[in-house]
Amino acid sequence: MAALRVGVIGASGYSGAVATRLLAAHPFARLVGCTSDKLAGRLVGRELGCRLPSLEGLEFQPNADAHRVAAESDAVLLATSAEVSAKLAPELVGHGKVVIDLSGAFRLGDPAAYPAWYGFEHPAPSLLPAHYGLPELFGAPPAGTKLVANPGCYPTASLLPLAPLLREGLIEPAGLVIDAKSGVTGAGRQAKEEYSFGEVDEDLRAYKVLSHQHSPEITAILSRFRPSKLTFTAHLLPIRRGLLATAYARPTAQATPERLRACLADAYAGKPFVEVVTPHEVTVKSVAGTNLARVAVTANDDVVIAIGVIDNLLKGAAGQAVQNLNLAFGFPETAGLDALHRLAA
Amino acid sequence: MAALRVGVIGASGYSGAVATRLLAAHPFARLVGCTSDKLAGRLVGRELGCRLPSLEGLEFQPNADAHRVAAESDAVLLATSAEVSAKLAPELVGHGKVVIDLSGAFRLGDPAAYPAWYGFEHPAPSLLPAHYGLPELFGAPPAGTKLVANPGCYPTASLLPLAPLLREGLIEPAGLVIDAKSGVTGAGRQAKEEYSFGEVDEDLRAYKVLSHQHSPEITAILSRFRPSKLTFTAHLLPIRRGLLATAYARPTAQATPERLRACLADAYAGKPFVEVVTPHEVTVKSVAGTNLARVAVTANDDVVIAIGVIDNLLKGAAGQAVQNLNLAFGFPETAGLDALHRLAA
Amino acid sequence: MAALRVGVIGASGYSGAVATRLLAAHPFARLVGCTSDKLAGRLVGRELGCRLPSLEGLEFQPNADAHRVAAESDAVLLATSAEVSAKLAPELVGHGKVVIDLSGAFRLGDPAAYPAWYGFEHPAPSLLPAHYGLPELFGAPPAGTKLVANPGCYPTASLLPLAPLLREGLIEPAGLVIDAKSGVTGAGRQAKEEYSFGEVDEDLRAYKVLSHQHSPEITAILSRFRPSKLTFTAHLLPIRRGLLATAYARPTAQATPERLRACLADAYAGKPFVEVVTPHEVTVKSVAGTNLARVAVTANDDVVIAIGVIDNLLKGAAGQAVQNLNLAFGFPETAGLDALHRLAA
Amino acid sequence: MAALRVGVIGASGYSGAVATRLLAAHPFARLVGCTSDKLAGRLVGRELGCRLPSLEGLEFQPNADAHRVAAESDAVLLATSAEVSAKLAPELVGHGKVVIDLSGAFRLGDPAAYPAWYGFEHPAPSLLPAHYGLPELFGAPPAGTKLVANPGCYPTASLLPLAPLLREGLIEPAGLVIDAKSGVTGAGRQAKEEYSFGEVDEDLRAYKVLSHQHSPEITAILSRFRPSKLTFTAHLLPIRRGLLATAYARPTAQATPERLRACLADAYAGKPFVEVVTPHEVTVKSVAGTNLARVAVTANDDVVIAIGVIDNLLKGAAGQAVQNLNLAFGFPETAGLDALHRLAA
């Protein structure tokens, strides 16, 4: 079987670089090209510190060559800004490519939401919403899917612990609170004083309070199970990789700690990338470097606490994109992802 | 006026060392002694890296000398474990000393709560609860107060943004959620693998979920304003100092963003150690090194978000203890605390 | 061809865990077992956060089973303390196993040096020195080699930039200075206050000044090229992984910046794991996560500065051990190591 | 006695902010104004998180008001870039002000060195070199001194351990090696990707190898004792504050470990800001937050290792500037500096 030909657009950001590296090691895919204005002309393997034979001689191409890279590809990963993705994805889909978009450009269903949350008028409303690529909740993209919206990092860490509980009627769909904390790579490479080491180190802060663009995404996806109302808050952690979400909900009458745990255990039985554990095992270091999510739930009479943790660059971005690619093309779900491991080990 | 004579018991822990340094620079107090088994016989100024004349020649004494230090003191700060404080404080109070206890030994009103939350039978139930030393909410200790329970770090950061809103009836007293994050000095000096740099660095985790001893403390204090029910979660941050609490409540009918902000502004007008700011200004680095708390509130129709941040060793421990000492003895509230400043600056 | 059967003894330390993970992904090796008292009975894949099929069902065995693991293995990696390795390696070699020892037990040639530098009388002086497994300098283990002493992390980072310059007579062999800085995983997992986050974070210090056990190792290996005298200093960095050595030497008459650079370039031409770069490219983040070393040299009339950087757990320990395994058994040098990549990417 | 009137120009950089805070708490000085374009119009006390009465109502003024601030001052601290200081200092001196310049603008004796090391033609060569304000080596500024060049951070940490040994003839003046490591605040506030948290965290690198502008400064000052030749290398540490220099020299015939230690002990006997300790006590955390330097020396037959550590913002910048101010105006050397203490405590 000929390898699937894949390209990466925007390969010098944190997520794009990780996606490039994963594809270079993928057993069934062949990386045909990747673009980055910043690194154009430089050797990919050298920049990634990676000796894979598949990278030998491969150079970053300028972003202007995105269509040329796509032309040689069966599938394209977009690690571009939402505004760039919103324009580029329809073109590539139009040329028959399967597109997995890591931005928020196709995650929301309502085009009218884009000016407020993303700051631009959506150029391709007919594509909204694209298939939402959270495989543990929504499975493989349906046959013929041309565009996958890869979930946001905060939504991934939040939905995995919450959605099964909501689906099973164990938590109330209103009054949900999600308090999330992310490492700085979630914000991409930055040349701003506020992201300088001197400012971030030994600090913590909430940001975009009541105005984070992942809030409508989480609400919309949860509401597919039951119409939901929630509050979402993001915090910036002085770590490089990792994202932990602590969620609070009111239990329904049938919720007991045992049923809650059983619900998550059942939901993720046989899922290779979700581990159901106890709350104190939901640690950034247990998943950083992997495509794993860890989730846990506990409760008393008044509250259900559900916690999720992921590596924001892997299960929260590039790793999940490869997982979606695998499912879209019928590869084993873990292909190209099974050798990942904890950085801490 | 002769200086107030003060002693510190347990001066080599993080909080005890900070308390010792603050008293050494206090304009109206004289540090007569401080104890530490670990540092016994060593020069205090040398260990603190401090050249204050008041420290010249002063040595740490063994903890066994606690009573001797107390005998020469008018007031004693206990930076000891709750179990040690519970035994020591009644003895010192019995000798007529004013005791400010930094542990949890006298914060809860119900002696029956101690075995479950603190692991010991309380030896002096008649002293419970002691005056709860959160001056911005409860003012100066009443005349004749002999024992002040210095608030916990999590309660301080949580109560300051929440209590005025609750008191004014702007938030519902049930269903409160407090999601808090603390630097590692909050756990004291530790020689455990789980607190080693290799484990904590680049990590984040929740701990003691639904079982943290600060939970009943916060509930009890809030309930003085209105009977309250809340969920409290603590997380361990990879920073040394600083604690941020993000609290979520349901607004009452009369709550508007403006009224909420005005409520905090009114509550803390003229209070030297609380700054009412906007949510994005509630950052660890804006208060680390100071006795300041920063608080902010924002809201929409469904939720009120109130955030507080402190330096856990200062406003969350030793700084607040000195503030209580000032108020107990009629000194200006900021005495010995006004030269503190942001570490970041 | 049947896969090479390999075991790892001491698999829960930082290096042992990394070695275990590398072997689990190795294309020509099969991990038959790994031991750890701490993790005995727990699933290896779960602990490493790794979904490799080769780990399915594999559990850590107690260290007491080391001989049983070895009995099923063709080769054994010892990630044990020097004292344990010194006893265990001769036994395994006696049973015909190829042993790659990650400790210092067989790196020094003179048994009399062990009490002073390692604190024990060497039990197997006839095995000293074992083949020193720094492949870029000493090539593959000679045919029939049963025991490979895997180099120390500091020696690896120091020897790679210095040895070629010394060999070619471009630097004076006396008066060498090596100032090295290592992340905390170099010290292994620790439950001591001095390694706690509160102490190491935001700190730097030199340690074991003039008494570090890697000093005689570096001297002895350099002296194989020319009898050398050097000063080595280790510093503890507040990072998890990575080690950078800055070396200073006097240039000989024939040294010019161009010749120095050419010397390193020639020495490492075609070597897959050493990159010769400019000094400002010798950064921890350029190699952390990889088996790469980066080296650079610059000079003026008075001094030659040669810098090397590695990931202390990979090229400084487990990665180099796999590289030695590859060479000992005739596999491609990069087998099992080529998918490694920068953590930062 | 009327308080000395002092102004700070450039008060929003890391050093300028610290200088401002120190002067606000100084017992004999009165902060009459401080300038910062970035913070112009904002309250100084608020920005510093400081409740000192001396800051009440004081606002940052724009840098364009520098002369106006100076007009009201007896002494002015310049926390400006070397190029700005080089122009401003002569003007202020011309108006009879005592100027303490924290930049490198007046540290070198040879105006011809400025284009190469600082990138500009020196506008006031007749002022070169200004009094070099390292009090432990050169005492108080001579009577009538109008311009003090406050030493660089690297030179301070390097000269304190080395100069006495050189002066006493215990180390050879040629072939000196200084390997230094600094926290990021040494580079000032930065909005560059290379200083972002994502890049600096968990990294280490050497920079400006063989081209750092502090190299000629150290050489020139050491050469006042004996003509010296040295190699200086700077490294960027992932910490906020602190700078450690490890220096290597060849011992002269009369050097013994005892004499070396006695030399430092004698040199700094009675000096309030230098502690002579053992090498393992020379840690960043022992001095961060203080105006202290710690120095240590050890040796064997071949090498003398002398180590120094400071807080780069205090003894390496603002703290030493206040120390110089004290000495220039006859205040006690520790005035305004004695309440400083370890951040770690």
Side-chain angles (χ1 to χ4, degrees):
Chain A
M1 184 182 70
L4 182 79
R5 299 169 305 160
V6 188
V8 178
I9 310 303
S12 60
Y14 289 121
S15 295
V18 173
T20 302
R21 214 285 307 177
L22 290 173
L23 292 170
H26 197 286
F28 308 119
R30 184 163 61 82
L31 181 66
V32 298
C34 54
T35 75
S36 158
D37 284 345
K38 187 180 158 192
L39 301 177
R42 294 167 76 164
L43 286 166
V44 176
R46 179 86 168 194
E47 293 299 315
L48 301 179
C50 186
R51 290 291 169 268
L52 283 168
S54 58
L55 292 173
E56 211 167 310
L58 188 73
E59 291 179 6
F60 289 100
Q61 297 172 250
N63 288 326
D65 288 356
H67 279 91
R68 201 173 313 167
V69 168
E72 299 169 30
S73 303
D74 304 305
V76 179
L77 269 65
L78 299 185
T80 40
S81 70
E83 198 160 3
V84 168
S85 286
K87 285 188 202 136
L88 193 52
E91 298 169 6
L92 303 183
V93 167
H95 290 104
K97 306 304 176 185
V98 170
V99 173
I100 298 176
D101 178 35
L102 280 73
S103 85
F106 298 95
R107 295 178 195 151
L108 302 183
D110 181 4
Y114 276 86
W117 294 105
Y118 285 94
F120 62 86
E121 201 71 42
H122 204 288
S126 68
L127 293 175
L128 296 179
H131 172 76
Y132 192 74
L134 191 46
E136 289 82 5
L137 297 182
F138 302 110
T145 298
K146 286 297 180 190
L147 177 57
V148 175
N150 210 57
C153 48
Y154 284 118
T156 298
S158 304
L159 292 165
L160 287 172
L162 281 177
L165 307 179
L166 189 72
R167 188 172 52 195
E168 298 303 315
L170 298 176
I171 57 175
E172 296 290 348
L176 295 166
V177 168
I178 300 168
D179 188 283
K181 304 92 180 168
S182 173
V184 294
T185 54
R189 293 194 200 275
Q190 295 277 357
K192 297 180 185 162
E193 186 186 313
E194 68 181 291
Y195 288 101
S196 68
F197 183 85
E199 301 302 303
V200 173
D201 181 47
E202 302 287 317
D203 194 24
L204 180 78
R205 63 182 64 199
Y207 66 98
K208 293 190 188 177
V209 177
L210 290 179
S211 64
H212 196 288
Q213 71 277 8
H214 285 176
S215 183
E217 180 179 338
I218 302 171
T219 301
I221 302 302
L222 277 185
S223 295
R224 295 191 190 180
F225 302 104
R226 290 175 194 239
S228 300
K229 294 197 84 166
L230 63 86
T231 302
F232 167 78
T233 309
H235 299 77
L236 183 67
L237 284 176
I239 67 173
R240 214 151 53 180
R241 297 170 82 149
L243 189 163
L244 187 145
T246 314
Y248 303 85
R250 267 172 295 143
T252 58
Q254 57 268 45
T256 61
E258 294 67 35
R259 284 198 60 179
L260 289 159
R261 280 191 288 271
C263 171
L264 289 187
D266 291 351
Y268 299 120
K271 304 292 183 191
F273 293 123
V274 181
E275 295 184 340
V276 182
V277 297
T278 58
H280 73 273
E281 294 172 313
V282 182
T283 65
V284 163
K285 77 179 190 106
S286 69
V287 299
T290 81
N291 196 51
L292 293 171
R294 280 194 160 189
V295 297
V297 65
T298 188
N300 60 21
D301 289 351
D302 301 312
V303 73
V304 173
I305 301 181
I307 317 181
V309 71
I310 59 170
D311 183 321
N312 55 296
L313 296 181
L314 286 163
K315 186 61 178 167
Q320 187 144 268
V322 171
Q323 190 182 354
N324 279 313
L325 188 83
N326 288 339
L327 294 169
F329 287 91
F331 304 139
E333 190 167 0
T334 58
L337 298 168
D338 57 3
L340 291 169
H341 58 97
R342 293 185 190 173
L343 301 184
Chain B
M1 185 184 68
L4 183 79
R5 299 169 305 159
V6 188
V8 178
I9 310 304
S12 60
Y14 288 121
S15 296
V18 173
T20 301
R21 214 284 307 174
L22 290 174
L23 292 170
H26 197 287
F28 308 118
R30 185 163 62 79
L31 181 67
V32 298
C34 56
T35 75
S36 159
D37 283 346
K38 187 179 160 194
L39 300 177
R42 295 168 76 164
L43 286 166
V44 176
R46 179 86 168 195
E47 292 300 316
L48 301 179
C50 186
R51 290 290 168 270
L52 283 168
S54 58
L55 293 172
E56 212 167 308
L58 189 73
E59 291 179 7
F60 289 99
Q61 297 171 251
N63 288 325
D65 288 355
H67 278 91
R68 201 173 314 168
V69 168
E72 299 169 32
S73 303
D74 304 306
V76 179
L77 268 66
L78 300 185
T80 40
S81 71
E83 198 161 4
V84 169
S85 286
K87 285 187 203 137
L88 193 52
E91 299 169 6
L92 302 182
V93 167
H95 290 103
K97 307 303 176 187
V98 170
V99 173
I100 298 176
D101 178 34
L102 281 74
S103 85
F106 298 94
R107 295 180 196 150
L108 301 183
D110 181 5
Y114 277 86
W117 294 105
Y118 283 94
F120 62 86
E121 201 72 43
H122 204 288
S126 68
L127 293 175
L128 294 180
H131 172 76
Y132 192 74
L134 192 45
E136 290 82 4
L137 296 182
F138 302 110
T145 298
K146 286 296 180 192
L147 177 57
V148 175
N150 209 56
C153 48
Y154 285 118
T156 297
S158 304
L159 293 166
L160 287 173
L162 280 177
L165 307 179
L166 188 71
R167 189 173 50 196
E168 298 304 315
L170 298 176
I171 57 174
E172 296 290 348
L176 295 167
V177 167
I178 300 168
D179 188 283
K181 306 92 179 167
S182 173
V184 295
T185 54
R189 294 193 199 276
Q190 296 277 358
K192 296 180 186 163
E193 186 185 314
E194 68 181 292
Y195 287 102
S196 69
F197 183 86
E199 301 302 303
V200 173
D201 181 47
E202 303 286 315
D203 194 23
L204 180 78
R205 63 182 65 198
Y207 66 99
K208 293 191 186 176
V209 177
L210 290 179
S211 63
H212 196 287
Q213 70 278 10
H214 285 177
S215 185
E217 180 180 337
I218 302 173
T219 302
I221 301 302
L222 277 185
S223 295
R224 296 191 190 180
F225 303 103
R226 289 175 195 240
S228 300
K229 294 198 83 166
L230 63 85
T231 302
F232 167 78
T233 309
H235 298 79
L236 183 67
L237 283 177
I239 68 174
R240 214 150 53 178
R241 296 170 83 150
L243 188 163
L244 188 145
T246 313
Y248 303 85
R250 268 173 293 142
T252 58
Q254 56 268 46
T256 62
E258 294 68 34
R259 284 197 61 179
L260 290 158
R261 278 191 290 269
C263 171
L264 289 186
D266 292 349
Y268 299 120
K271 303 291 185 192
F273 293 124
V274 180
E275 295 184 341
V276 182
V277 297
T278 57
H280 74 273
E281 295 171 312
V282 183
T283 65
V284 163
K285 75 177 193 111
S286 69
V287 298
T290 81
N291 196 49
L292 294 172
R294 282 194 158 189
V295 297
V297 65
T298 187
N300 60 21
D301 290 350
D302 301 313
V303 74
V304 174
I305 301 181
I307 318 181
V309 70
I310 58 170
D311 182 322
N312 55 297
L313 296 180
L314 286 163
K315 186 61 179 168
Q320 187 143 267
V322 171
Q323 189 182 353
N324 279 313
L325 188 81
N326 289 338
L327 294 169
F329 287 91
F331 305 138
E333 190 168 1
T334 58
L337 299 167
D338 58 2
L340 291 169
H341 58 97
R342 292 184 188 174
L343 303 183
Chain C
M1 184 183 69
L4 183 78
R5 299 170 304 161
V6 187
V8 178
I9 309 304
S12 61
Y14 289 121
S15 296
V18 173
T20 302
R21 214 284 309 177
L22 290 173
L23 292 170
H26 197 286
F28 308 119
R30 185 164 61 82
L31 181 67
V32 298
C34 55
T35 75
S36 158
D37 284 346
K38 185 180 160 192
L39 301 177
R42 295 168 76 164
L43 285 166
V44 176
R46 179 86 169 193
E47 292 300 316
L48 301 179
C50 186
R51 291 290 168 270
L52 283 168
S54 58
L55 293 173
E56 212 167 308
L58 189 72
E59 291 178 7
F60 289 99
Q61 297 171 250
N63 287 326
D65 288 355
H67 278 90
R68 201 174 314 167
V69 168
E72 299 169 31
S73 303
D74 304 306
V76 180
L77 268 66
L78 300 185
T80 39
S81 70
E83 198 160 2
V84 169
S85 285
K87 285 186 203 138
L88 193 53
E91 298 168 6
L92 302 182
V93 167
H95 290 102
K97 307 304 175 185
V98 170
V99 173
I100 298 177
D101 178 35
L102 280 74
S103 84
F106 298 94
R107 296 180 195 150
L108 302 183
D110 181 5
Y114 276 86
W117 292 104
Y118 284 93
F120 62 86
E121 200 73 42
H122 204 288
S126 68
L127 293 175
L128 295 180
H131 172 76
Y132 192 75
L134 191 44
E136 290 82 4
L137 296 181
F138 301 110
T145 299
K146 286 296 181 190
L147 178 57
V148 174
N150 210 56
C153 48
Y154 284 118
T156 298
S158 305
L159 292 166
L160 287 173
L162 280 177
L165 307 179
L166 189 72
R167 188 173 52 196
E168 298 304 315
L170 298 176
I171 56 174
E172 296 290 347
L176 295 166
V177 167
I178 300 169
D179 188 283
K181 304 92 178 169
S182 173
V184 294
T185 54
R189 293 193 201 276
Q190 296 277 358
K192 296 181 186 163
E193 187 186 313
E194 67 181 291
Y195 287 102
S196 69
F197 183 85
E199 302 301 303
V200 173
D201 181 47
E202 302 287 316
D203 193 25
L204 180 78
R205 62 183 64 199
Y207 64 100
K208 293 190 185 177
V209 177
L210 291 179
S211 64
H212 196 289
Q213 71 277 9
H214 285 176
S215 184
E217 180 180 337
I218 304 172
T219 301
I221 302 302
L222 277 185
S223 295
R224 295 191 190 179
F225 302 104
R226 287 174 197 243
S228 299
K229 295 197 83 166
L230 62 87
T231 302
F232 167 78
T233 309
H235 299 78
L236 183 67
L237 282 176
I239 67 174
R240 213 150 54 180
R241 296 170 82 150
L243 189 163
L244 187 145
T246 313
Y248 303 86
R250 269 172 292 143
T252 57
Q254 58 268 46
T256 63
E258 294 68 32
R259 283 199 62 179
L260 289 159
R261 278 191 289 271
C263 171
L264 289 187
D266 291 352
Y268 298 120
K271 303 292 184 190
F273 292 123
V274 181
E275 295 184 341
V276 182
V277 297
T278 58
H280 74 273
E281 294 172 313
V282 182
T283 66
V284 162
K285 78 178 190 108
S286 68
V287 299
T290 80
N291 197 49
L292 293 172
R294 281 194 160 190
V295 297
V297 65
T298 188
N300 61 20
D301 288 352
D302 301 312
V303 73
V304 173
I305 301 181
I307 317 182
V309 70
I310 58 170
D311 183 323
N312 55 297
L313 296 181
L314 286 163
K315 185 61 179 168
Q320 187 144 270
V322 171
Q323 189 182 354
N324 279 314
L325 189 83
N326 288 338
L327 294 169
F329 287 91
F331 304 139
E333 190 167 1
T334 59
L337 299 168
D338 57 4
L340 292 169
H341 59 97
R342 293 184 189 175
L343 301 183
Chain D
M1 184 183 69
L4 183 78
R5 298 170 304 160
V6 188
V8 178
I9 309 303
S12 60
Y14 289 121
S15 296
V18 173
T20 301
R21 215 284 308 175
L22 289 173
L23 292 170
H26 197 285
F28 308 119
R30 185 163 61 81
L31 182 66
V32 298
C34 55
T35 76
S36 158
D37 284 346
K38 186 179 161 193
L39 300 177
R42 294 168 77 164
L43 286 166
V44 176
R46 180 85 168 193
E47 292 300 315
L48 301 179
C50 185
R51 289 291 168 269
L52 283 168
S54 57
L55 293 173
E56 212 166 309
L58 189 72
E59 292 179 4
F60 289 100
Q61 297 172 250
N63 288 326
D65 288 356
H67 279 91
R68 200 173 314 167
V69 168
E72 298 170 32
S73 303
D74 303 306
V76 180
L77 269 66
L78 299 184
T80 40
S81 71
E83 197 161 3
V84 168
S85 286
K87 284 187 203 138
L88 193 53
E91 299 169 7
L92 302 182
V93 166
H95 289 104
K97 308 301 175 187
V98 170
V99 173
I100 298 177
D101 178 35
L102 280 74
S103 85
F106 297 95
R107 295 179 195 150
L108 302 183
D110 181 5
Y114 276 85
W117 293 104
Y118 283 92
F120 62 86
E121 200 72 43
H122 204 288
S126 68
L127 293 175
L128 295 180
H131 172 76
Y132 192 75
L134 192 45
E136 289 82 5
L137 296 181
F138 301 110
T145 298
K146 285 297 179 191
L147 178 57
V148 174
N150 210 56
C153 49
Y154 285 119
T156 298
S158 304
L159 292 166
L160 287 172
L162 280 177
L165 308 179
L166 189 72
R167 187 172 53 197
E168 299 303 314
L170 299 175
I171 57 174
E172 296 289 349
L176 295 167
V177 167
I178 300 169
D179 188 283
K181 305 92 178 168
S182 173
V184 294
T185 55
R189 293 194 200 274
Q190 296 276 357
K192 296 181 185 162
E193 187 186 314
E194 69 181 292
Y195 287 101
S196 69
F197 184 86
E199 301 302 302
V200 173
D201 181 48
E202 302 287 316
D203 194 25
L204 180 79
R205 62 182 65 198
Y207 65 98
K208 293 191 187 176
V209 177
L210 290 179
S211 63
H212 197 288
Q213 70 278 10
H214 285 176
S215 184
E217 180 181 336
I218 303 172
T219 302
I221 302 303
L222 276 184
S223 295
R224 295 191 191 180
F225 302 102
R226 288 174 196 242
S228 299
K229 295 198 82 165
L230 64 86
T231 302
F232 167 78
T233 308
H235 299 77
L236 183 67
L237 283 177
I239 67 174
R240 213 149 55 176
R241 296 169 83 150
L243 189 164
L244 187 146
T246 314
Y248 303 85
R250 267 171 294 142
T252 58
Q254 58 267 47
T256 63
E258 294 69 32
R259 285 199 60 179
L260 290 159
R261 280 192 288 269
C263 171
L264 289 187
D266 292 350
Y268 299 121
K271 303 291 184 192
F273 292 123
V274 180
E275 296 184 341
V276 182
V277 296
T278 56
H280 74 274
E281 294 172 312
V282 182
T283 66
V284 163
K285 78 179 189 107
S286 69
V287 298
T290 80
N291 196 49
L292 294 172
R294 282 194 158 188
V295 297
V297 64
T298 188
N300 60 20
D301 289 351
D302 301 312
V303 73
V304 173
I305 301 182
I307 318 182
V309 71
I310 58 170
D311 183 321
N312 54 297
L313 296 181
L314 286 163
K315 186 62 178 167
Q320 187 143 268
V322 171
Q323 190 182 354
N324 279 312
L325 188 82
N326 288 338
L327 294 169
F329 287 91
F331 304 139
E333 190 167 1
T334 60
L337 300 167
D338 57 3
L340 291 169
H341 59 97
R342 293 184 189 175
L343 302 183

